[in-house]
C-alpha cells in the first residue's frame, strides 16, 4: 500500500494538515487480527476468492483475511488433519461436502452453530436445502460457501439439426435415450456421455428419493450399511446398460481427468449431451459456440423427481483459536455470505448464490436476463424436496463409496451384469462403512 521510500503519509482527516510517520501507519495495520484462510480454488475461482477477501479487508480495519491455496480438496484435507487443534492450523478451512462427517467428528473444528448463537446471526436468508447438508442433529457445523448441483447439458443446435425437440425441464431417462439414438442416427456416432462417477450415481439415486445408506442417510444415527441395492440403484445401472448396448454412449473412463475430457468434448461438439456440475456453466458459456440447453437431472419415467443433493464445499472454523480470531473469522463469513457478495460470487464462478436475497440484486437479475440458462440449476434447487435423500449421506468412507459405485457403472458400461455389479458395490460400501466406524470408535 505504501512505498518503502516514503517517510510520511498525509492524512487530511486528522487535524489541520497533520501527518503521521509511516511507522505509525504500519503499526496500525499490524494491529489487525490476521485470519488465515486455507482454500482449494484455482483459476477463475481463485480470482473470485481473492476478490471476496479483498472486498472484506477493504471494508473494515479490525481483521485481515489471508487466503492460502492448499491444493485440491483431496490434498488439502490431510494437511488440515495433520495440524488441526494446533497453533499451525488455519483459522478457516474450505473442504468439500463429502468430508462433512469426518470433520464434524474430528474434534478439530468449532461448530458454526456455536458462533451463530453467540453473535446472534440469523441464517433465515441462507438457502435451507443448502444449510441442510451441513446440519447434523439440528446443529450447523460449517458455513456453506461454494455450492453446486448436477444438471443435464445439451446442444440445442445439434438437437434442431437432428429434428429433436428441446428436452423438457425434468426429462426422463427414456427421453434422454430417445434423443441420444436420434443424434447417433444423424451424426453416425455416439453423442451422449454418462460419466462413471460416484457423485453422479449418488445424485441419480437421490432424485428417486432413495438414500445411499441406512438410518436416514446417516443423519438419525451413525450409518451401518449401504441401502442402494434396490430398484432405484438398478434403474441407474440399467439406464447405462441400455445406452451402452444401443451404442449411444461415449465412455471417457474414470480417473482424475475424465471430467475435464468430457467437458471439453461437449464444448467442442464431440458430444451433445452430458451431466455435470452447475458450476461448469461459466466454462460452457465461455467456450461453447452453439446454443446450450440446461435441464434438471433425469429420472425414470415412472418416478417423480425428488431433487438433488448439494455439492461443492463449505468453510470450517478451527477449534482452539482466540476469541478475537473466532470473532474475525465469523465476521468474514457473514460478509462472504451476504447478498451482494454471493451475487457477485455466483456470476464470477457459476456456483449458486446461497443467500436468497442475492436473487433480488440488480447484478444477478441482469445476469439471469442476459443468460437464461443460469436459471435452470437454481430452479432445480428450489424444486428439490427437503428430505433424507436430498440431504445427502453422512459417512466417513464417502470417497471409498464413490470408487465402488464408479466401478459398478464402468463395469456395466463394459458389459458386466447389472445385478452382480450393484450387489458388489453395496457389499463393499457396507464393509467400508464398518471399517470406518470401527476405526473411529462409533
Amino acid at each position: 500500500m505504501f512505498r518503502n521510500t516514503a517517510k510520511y503519509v498525509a492524512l487530511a482527516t486528522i487535524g489541520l494538515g497533520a501527518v503521521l510517520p509511516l511507522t505509525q501507519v504500519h503499526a496500525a495495520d499490524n494491529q489487525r487480527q490476521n485470519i488465515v484462510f486455507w482454500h482449494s480454488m484455482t483459476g477463475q475461482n481463485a480470482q473470485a476468492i481473492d476478490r471476496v477477501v479483498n472486498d472484506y479487508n477493504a471494508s473494515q480495519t479490525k481483521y485481515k483475511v489471508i487466503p492460502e491455496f492448499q491444493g485440491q480438496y483431496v490434498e488439502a484435507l490431510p494437511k488440515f488433519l495433520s495440524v488441526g487443534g494446533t497453533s499451525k492450523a488455519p483459522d478457516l478451512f474450505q473442504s468439500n461436502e463429502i468430508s462433512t462427517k469426518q470433520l464434524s467428528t474430528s474434534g478439530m473444528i468449532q461448530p458454526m452453530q456455536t458462533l451463530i448463537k453467540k453473535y446472534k446471526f440469523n441464517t433465515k436468508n441462507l438457502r435451507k436445502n443448502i444449510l441442510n447438508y451441513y446440519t447434523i442433529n439440528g446443529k450447523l457445523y460449517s458455513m456453506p460457501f461454494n455450492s453446486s448441483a448436477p444438471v443435464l447439458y445439451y446442444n440445442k443446435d445439434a438437437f434442431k439439426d437432428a429434428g429433436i425437440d428441446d428436452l423438457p425441464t425434468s426429462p426422463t431417462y427414456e427421453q434422454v435415450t430417445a434423443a441420444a439414438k436420434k443424434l447417433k442416427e444423424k451424426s453416425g456416432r455416439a453423442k451422449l456421455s454418462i460419466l462413471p462417477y460416484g457423485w453422479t450415481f449418488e445424485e441419480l439415486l437421490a432424485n428417486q428419493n432413495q438414500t445411499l445408506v441406512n438410518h436416514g442417510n446417516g443423519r438419525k444415527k451413525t450409518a451401518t450399511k449401504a441401502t442402494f441395492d434396490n430398484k432405484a440403484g438398478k434403474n441407474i445401472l440399467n439406464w447405462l446398460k441400455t445406452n451402452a448396448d444401443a451404442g449411444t454412449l461415449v465412455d471417457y473412463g474414470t480417473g482424475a481427468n475424465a471430467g475435464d475430457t468430457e467437458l471439453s468434448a461437449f464444448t467442442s461438439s464431440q458430444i451433445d449431451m452430458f451431466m455435470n456440475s452447475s458450476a461448469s456453466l461459466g466454462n460452457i458459456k465461455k467456450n461453447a459456440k452453439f446454443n446450450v440447453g440446461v435441464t434438471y437431472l433425469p429420472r425414470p419415467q415412472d418416478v417423480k423427481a425428488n431433487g438433488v443433493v448439494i455439492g461443492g464445499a463449505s468453510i470450517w472454523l478451527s477449534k482452539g483459536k482466540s476469541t478475537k480470531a473466532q470473532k474475525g473469522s465469523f465476521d468474514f463469513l457473514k460478509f462472504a455470505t451476504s447478498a451482494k457478495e454471493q451475487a457477485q460470487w455466483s456470476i464470477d464462478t457459476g456456483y449458486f448464490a446461497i443467500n436468497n436475497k442475492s436473487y433480488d440484486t440488480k447484478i444477478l437479475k441482469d445476469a439471469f436476463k442476459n443468460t437464461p440458462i443460469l436459471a435452470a440449476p437454481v430452479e432445480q434447487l428450489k424444486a428439490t424436496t427437503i428430505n433424507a435423500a436430498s440431504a445427502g449421506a453422512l459417512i466417513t468412507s464417502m470417497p471409498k463409496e464413490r470408487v465402488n459405485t464408479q466401478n459398478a457403472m464402468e463395469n456395466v458400461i463394459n458389459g458386466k451384469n447389472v445385478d452382480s455389479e450393484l450387489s458388489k458395490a453395496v457389499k463393499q460400501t457396507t464393509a467400508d462403512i464398518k471399517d470406518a466406524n470401527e476405526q473411529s470408535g462409533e
Side-chain angles (χ1 to χ4, degrees), residues 344-379:
Q344 189 62 57
W345 168 257
S346 181
I347 291 169
D348 290 345
T349 64
Y351 285 108
F352 293 122
I354 69 167
N355 192 312
N356 287 318
K357 289 191 173 182
S358 296
Y359 298 96
D360 296 327
T361 62
K362 185 178 186 303
I363 55 173
L364 205 51
K365 281 184 175 180
D366 288 347
F368 275 65
K369 182 179 180 180
N370 296 330
T371 313
I373 58 174
L374 293 173
V378 177
E379 293 304 318

Side-chain angles (χ1 to χ4, degrees), residues 2 25 39 50 76 95 129 132 135 170 173 217 247 251 256 262 295 304 316 324 336 365 368 372 381 388 402 421 424:
F2 303 99
V25 176
H39 70 86
D50 289 341
S95 192
N129 46 1
N132 197 36
T135 299
S170 178
Y173 291 175
N217 248 347
D251 181 14
E262 182 189 51
T295 71
K304 180 183 177 181
W316 298 77
K324 190 173 182 181
K365 281 184 175 180
F368 275 65
L381 191 63
R402 288 194 169 174
E421 290 303 316
K424 188 191 307 180

Side-chain angles (χ1 to χ4, degrees), residues 84-368:
T86 74
S87 60
K88 294 181 180 180
D91 299 284
L92 296 171
F93 170 58
Q94 181 193 35
S95 192
N96 63 346
E97 85 284 13
I98 64 171
S99 65
T100 297
K101 173 72 172 179
Q102 187 170 7
L103 286 172
S104 66
T105 59
S106 68
M108 298 176 181
I109 60 95
Q110 183 73 33
M112 206 58 61
Q113 196 69 39
T114 59
L115 298 189
I116 287 172
K117 183 178 180 180
K118 183 176 182 179
Y119 298 115
K120 298 178 173 60
F121 178 61
N122 195 333
T123 60
K124 69 177 183 179
N125 289 326
L126 303 185
R127 296 199 65 84
K128 187 175 180 181
N129 46 1
I130 296 179
L131 290 172
N132 197 36
Y133 189 99
Y134 302 103
T135 299
I136 306 170
N137 297 325
K139 182 186 293 185
L140 184 67
Y141 273 81
S142 59
M143 188 66 79
F145 182 62
N146 53 304
S147 296
S148 61
V151 290
L152 187 145
Y153 297 97
Y154 67 100
N155 184 329
K156 297 183 79 167
D157 293 347
F159 268 51
K160 185 177 180 180
D161 289 345
I164 311 170
D165 292 335
D166 285 346
L167 290 173
T169 299
S170 178
T172 66
Y173 291 175
E174 292 77 11
Q175 287 170 325
V176 172
T177 297
K181 289 179 178 178
K182 289 185 178 180
L183 289 169
K184 184 186 178 184
E185 289 173 7
K186 175 67 176 180
S187 65
R189 56 194 178 91
K191 303 288 280 186
L192 167 69
S193 172
I194 305 172
L195 197 68
Y197 182 33
W199 185 49
T200 304
F201 185 91
E202 292 159 24
E203 294 285 358
L204 291 171
L205 193 73
N207 200 28
Q208 299 176 69
N209 193 19
Q210 293 295 315
T211 60
L212 189 75
V213 296
N214 66 346
H215 300 321
N217 248 347
R219 291 179 178 273
K220 292 181 179 179
K221 62 179 181 179
T222 301
T224 57
K225 66 178 182 179
T227 57
F228 55 87
D229 191 3
N230 53 24
K231 182 180 178 182
K234 291 178 183 179
N235 284 340
I236 298 167
L237 295 187
N238 278 323
W239 184 41
L240 282 170
K241 178 176 172 54
T242 295
N243 284 284
D245 290 348
T248 58
L249 197 65
V250 179
D251 181 14
Y252 292 107
T254 56
N257 298 320
D260 291 338
T261 302
E262 182 189 51
L263 180 58
S264 296
F266 179 71
T267 56
S268 62
S269 297
Q270 295 175 50
I271 58 173
D272 293 328
M273 279 192 292
F274 81 122
M275 291 176 290
N276 205 310
S277 169
S278 55
S280 298
L281 262 171
N283 182 305
I284 291 171
K285 261 194 319 177
K286 180 180 179 181
N287 295 306
K289 307 304 180 186
F290 49 82
N291 290 315
V292 177
V294 184
T295 71
Y296 296 3
L297 207 63
R299 58 184 171 81
Q301 64 182 3
D302 60 345
V303 175
K304 180 183 177 181
N306 183 64
V308 289
V309 181
I310 204 67
S314 62
I315 300 177
W316 298 77
L317 179 69
S318 287
K319 189 175 183 178
K321 297 298 181 179
S322 69
T323 299
K324 190 173 182 181
Q326 281 193 3
K327 189 174 183 179
S329 297
F330 195 65
D331 192 62
F332 169 67
L333 293 178
K334 288 191 294 182
F335 178 90
T337 56
S338 66
K340 179 182 176 182
E341 288 298 316
Q342 277 293 302
Q344 189 62 57
W345 168 257
S346 181
I347 291 169
D348 290 345
T349 64
Y351 285 108
F352 293 122
I354 69 167
N355 192 312
N356 287 318
K357 289 191 173 182
S358 296
Y359 298 96
D360 296 327
T361 62
K362 185 178 186 303
I363 55 173
L364 205 51
K365 281 184 175 180
D366 288 347
F368 275 65

